[in-house]
Amino acid sequence: MLHTWPAPGGSGELALQFDIPHAPRLLILPAWFDEGNKTRHFTVETMRILAADGIASILPDLPGCNESAASLYRQDIDTWREAAAAAALHFDCSHVLAIRAASCIAPALPGFAYAPLAGSSVLRALLRARVIVAKEAGRSETREALLECGLREGLELAGYRLGPSMIAQLAEAESSGDRDLMQIAQSDVGKAGLWLRAEPAHDPEQARSLARIVAQGLVR
């Protein structure tokens, strides 16, 4: 079911919830930007499988994402970290599953980091993609010049208008490697990650594998 939750900053954000009374409540933090688009179906199917196994889960929109009325340009790692903590508190979550770079903002809950990715790696990939697109269009852009511009006035990357604070914090953000989260490698789930595909797709076997690992981890 879809619910509205009171995100910090006054924006009411949507959250998809599979609620099961008296069950562990798993906060799911989705992958970011284009990776989030490519893994949305996979993420929701994983939630459905977990629900069938008696595990509740909540997938909140972060401010500036999906149907949010908040401006993405005004968001950064800190505002998303604050939103993740607020969602965990609002939905009384017991555990967290952070997907890819969302491990950078995981609240202080036990849980899992699936194929964790540092924010700096996200930014490098976004800059690389823009340089390639510019080259194909006959323009000359460099990552260094783009980064300098982004730190000063923000930057549009892969269709996302990011503010200077987000650019700066992405450049420094690390994943949850030093956090007490169970690390789930992509090789534990299946072959290549869905975020590597050219278009959004789904792999039911990968969803089942991830749900099985999480369910087993919750009962340890």
Side-chain angles (χ1 to χ4, degrees):
M1 295 181 62
L2 283 175
H3 296 267
T4 301
W5 67 281
S11 62
E13 305 293 353
L14 291 177
L16 177 65
Q17 182 175 11
F18 288 81
D19 198 15
I20 299 172
H22 313 298
R25 297 172 68 81
L26 185 69
L27 175 70
I28 298 185
L29 298 174
W32 295 350
F33 309 126
D34 192 48
E35 288 193 352
N37 292 332
K38 291 178 179 178
T39 58
R40 182 77 178 184
H41 187 178
F42 162 80
T43 302
V44 174
E45 287 304 313
T46 300
M47 295 173 69
R48 289 197 175 100
I49 297 168
L50 288 168
D53 205 23
I55 299 168
S57 60
I58 298 94
L59 176 66
D61 279 351
L62 295 173
C65 299
N66 299 320
E67 304 303 318
S68 175
S71 168
L72 176 60
Y73 184 82
R74 297 183 181 277
Q75 308 307 315
D76 56 29
I77 304 295
D78 287 342
T79 63
W80 279 358
R81 187 176 289 120
E82 184 182 1
L89 181 63
H90 178 77
F91 290 104
D92 193 24
C93 295
S94 60
H95 296 77
V96 61
L97 168 60
I99 300 175
R100 299 290 283 161
S103 61
C104 298
I105 63 169
L109 291 173
F112 314 85
Y114 167 44
L117 183 69
S120 53
S121 297
V122 174
L123 182 59
R124 280 196 300 271
L126 291 171
L127 290 171
R128 187 184 309 118
R130 172 151 171 174
V131 168
I132 292 171
V133 170
K135 184 176 181 180
E136 292 174 347
R139 302 192 311 272
S140 178
E141 293 184 337
T142 67
R143 280 183 287 179
E144 294 75 15
L146 288 170
L147 181 57
E148 182 180 349
C149 176
L151 291 172
R152 186 175 61 251
E153 59 191 48
L155 202 60
E156 184 168 322
L157 297 172
Y160 297 93
R161 181 65 177 167
L162 306 180
S165 182
M166 176 68 87
I167 297 292
Q169 291 187 18
L170 278 174
E172 300 295 331
E174 298 299 328
S175 69
S176 64
D178 59 348
R179 282 279 314 282
D180 188 22
L181 294 176
M182 175 181 171
Q183 307 289 297
I184 303 174
Q186 176 56 32
S187 58
D188 298 329
V189 172
K191 295 182 179 179
L194 296 174
W195 53 86
L196 296 174
R197 300 190 182 184
E199 299 292 338
H202 180 50
D203 186 331
E205 184 56 38
Q206 290 198 30
R208 285 192 290 269
S209 295
L210 179 58
R212 181 176 63 251
I213 292 168
V214 169
Q216 291 172 348
L218 287 175
V219 298
R220 286 180 181 175

